[in-house]
Amino acid sequence: MKIRIGVLFGGCSGEHNVSLMSATSILAHLSQDKYDITPIGITPACKWYTGKDVLQKLKDGSTDGLKPVYLLPEPGNHTLYEIDADNRLTPLIELDVIFPVLHGTLGEDGTIQGLFEINGLAYVGAGVLGSALGMDKIVFKDVMRACNIPVAKYMTASRKEIENDIEALINRVEAFSAYPVFTKPANLGSSVGITRCDNRSDLYEGIMNAARYDRKILIEEGINARELEVAVLGNEDPIASVPAEISPKDHFYSYSAKYLDGTTAVNIPANIDPQTTREAQDLAVRVFKAIDCWGLGRIDFLLDRTNGKLYVGEINTLPGFTHISVYPKAWEPAGISYPQLLDRLIDLALDIKRDKDKTTHQYDG
């Protein structure tokens, strides 16, 4: 029998459009011989739909002719429901596994993973803990420091602090680091809300921009660095890909550089020495294990041009899967094609589900 898979995309975060791009590639490469595929789109208003051409309709901003669907938070209930003409829930399909092609908040941060855990439904990617730790850049860096994993110097601020006295905050940042610095929302990806700040005016704008997207912001020292990315695959015994090097035309790997202007060069494998390659791969696996990640992750690094030191930037627990994304491309040198990678991820999701099913939730006394 075919594995019944729900591919969940869109979502209500600033990375909605990136998710649609990732879903386009995944749906094109999933084997219809192996899988019974149900595409499920989530609108920016967090409404779930399925139906003919649901992906294209979400790209067009339309839900005409689509079916509203629901996954109920009931243990052991793997059924996707639609609403019938009498406004009643009607079973549509029972799912074996969910592939959440969601980036950013309410998709990559552990919230939707909590729903799947309540249902006892297998799903691709990290669990609640790994997803939450991976999404929050501040807590993630705190964990890295506790594990003696190198990260760039950073400080934090809250939206309330910004609203109360932004001038005092700017003074504190300038005492913390020379320019340039980077301002980032704590919980978002795809470089949304990130600003490189080269002076006080930039810093003011960068702080305000980051605070639009989160109540917490991260301010990080600027390092004259090369940007590397390493893909990780597995559950208990994860493996690391060859490092990729990202060479954006702009000052940093911005949203436009990633998805819009096509000016970024990506070298796979990166042109670095074998020792640095091994160090990046070892650190990537350490990061993956440190936050209890499963399935997949992409770890981003800064390689200091002056001293050759590696710094961990962040982990993406649901990295991009567009036609230009590093994660699937990084496995090609290892002979793992895009369709084979998807098969492995689904197998890993089912494997971790079997392991979790061994856990008892009753205390016999």
Side-chain angles (χ1 to χ4, degrees):
M1 292 180 62
K2 293 182 181 181
I3 296 173
R4 297 163 297 187
I5 181 169
V7 179
L8 195 61
F9 52 84
C12 23
S13 85
E15 298 179 79
H16 177 91
N17 290 332
V18 181
S19 172
L20 300 183
M21 288 188 272
S22 290
T24 299
S25 294
I26 287 175
L27 289 170
H29 287 92
L30 277 173
S31 170
Q32 296 193 20
D33 294 329
K34 297 178 181 178
Y35 308 113
D36 182 358
I37 304 163
T38 302
I40 307 164
I42 304 178
T43 69
C46 295
K47 301 293 185 181
W48 292 31
Y49 291 92
T50 193
K52 186 178 179 181
D53 299 326
V54 58
L55 177 57
Q56 185 58 51
K57 287 187 176 179
L58 257 66
K59 288 180 180 179
D60 296 338
S62 170
T63 58
D64 292 345
L66 299 178
K67 303 173 184 177
V69 290
Y70 296 88
L71 192 63
L72 301 181
E74 295 178 350
N77 188 349
H78 302 169
T79 302
L80 187 70
Y81 294 88
E82 64 172 307
I83 295 182
D84 66 15
D86 296 320
N87 207 32
R88 295 176 302 190
L89 290 177
T90 302
L92 183 63
I93 187 172
E94 185 169 345
L95 299 170
D96 298 311
V97 61
I98 285 275
F99 198 136
V101 192
L102 298 168
H103 309 310
T105 47
L106 301 180
E108 194 178 351
D109 58 0
T111 49
I112 204 162
Q113 287 77 10
L115 172 61
F116 305 148
E117 289 288 345
I118 291 172
N119 287 86
L121 183 59
Y123 58 94
V124 170
V128 174
L129 177 64
S131 298
L133 288 175
M135 174 55 63
D136 191 308
K137 293 180 177 67
I138 294 171
V139 178
F140 171 78
K141 288 181 181 293
D142 290 344
V143 172
M144 293 302 101
R145 286 172 59 175
C147 294
N148 295 314
I149 294 173
V151 295
K153 189 171 69 170
Y154 64 97
M155 60 172 283
T156 66
S158 68
R159 186 182 288 150
K160 186 65 69 177
E161 183 179 358
I162 294 164
E163 292 171 348
N164 287 344
D165 194 343
I166 191 170
E167 290 297 324
L169 173 59
I170 289 174
N171 290 336
R172 187 159 67 91
V173 174
E174 290 181 330
F176 152 78
S177 174
Y179 291 107
V181 296
F182 287 85
T183 53
K184 306 176 181 182
N187 291 275
L188 207 56
S190 294
S191 297
V192 174
I194 295 180
T195 304
R196 174 189 162 113
C197 308
D198 292 300
N199 52 53
R200 193 176 181 92
S201 176
D202 289 349
L203 181 57
Y204 178 88
E205 293 181 11
I207 289 170
M208 297 303 293
N209 185 37
R212 291 175 56 209
Y213 296 99
D214 200 350
R215 52 176 286 274
K216 300 189 300 180
I217 73 166
L218 175 75
I219 301 105
E220 195 172 64
E221 69 171 336
I223 296 175
N224 180 18
R226 298 164 68 181
E227 299 188 41
L228 306 179
E229 296 182 354
V230 177
V232 177
L233 177 68
N235 289 338
E236 296 296 327
D237 298 302
I239 58 173
S241 73
V242 296
E245 181 169 8
I246 311 301
S247 301
K249 187 177 179 180
D250 203 351
H251 289 301
F252 72 101
Y253 200 21
S254 65
Y255 184 95
S256 294
K258 287 180 179 179
Y259 305 112
L260 302 179
D261 59 24
T263 61
T264 296
V266 179
N267 294 318
I268 303 174
N271 184 22
I272 54 178
D273 62 78
Q275 181 178 343
T276 304
T277 294
R278 289 191 296 271
E279 184 182 355
Q281 290 173 320
D282 290 346
L283 278 172
V285 171
R286 284 180 62 194
V287 169
F288 191 85
K289 290 183 173 182
I291 66 164
D292 194 27
C293 205
W294 312 325
L296 75 162
R298 193 198 73 230
I299 292 80
D300 300 347
F301 293 92
L302 297 174
L303 177 61
D304 195 314
R305 295 179 186 273
T306 59
N307 58 22
K309 185 174 181 179
L310 273 172
Y311 298 91
V312 171
E314 63 180 0
I315 184 172
N316 287 266
T317 55
L318 285 174
F321 267 85
T322 73
H323 69 287
I324 59 171
S325 292
V326 167
Y327 188 86
K329 286 184 172 294
W331 293 109
E332 292 175 2
I336 304 174
S337 68
Y338 198 122
Q340 289 170 332
L341 180 60
L342 298 180
D343 290 343
R344 287 201 186 192
L345 290 172
I346 292 165
D347 288 343
L348 288 166
L350 294 169
D351 180 65
I352 201 73
K353 172 65 168 60
R354 286 189 290 269
D355 194 17
K356 287 188 287 187
D357 284 346
K358 297 174 185 177
T359 303
T360 182
H361 297 283
Q362 301 295 324
Y363 177 60
D364 299 327

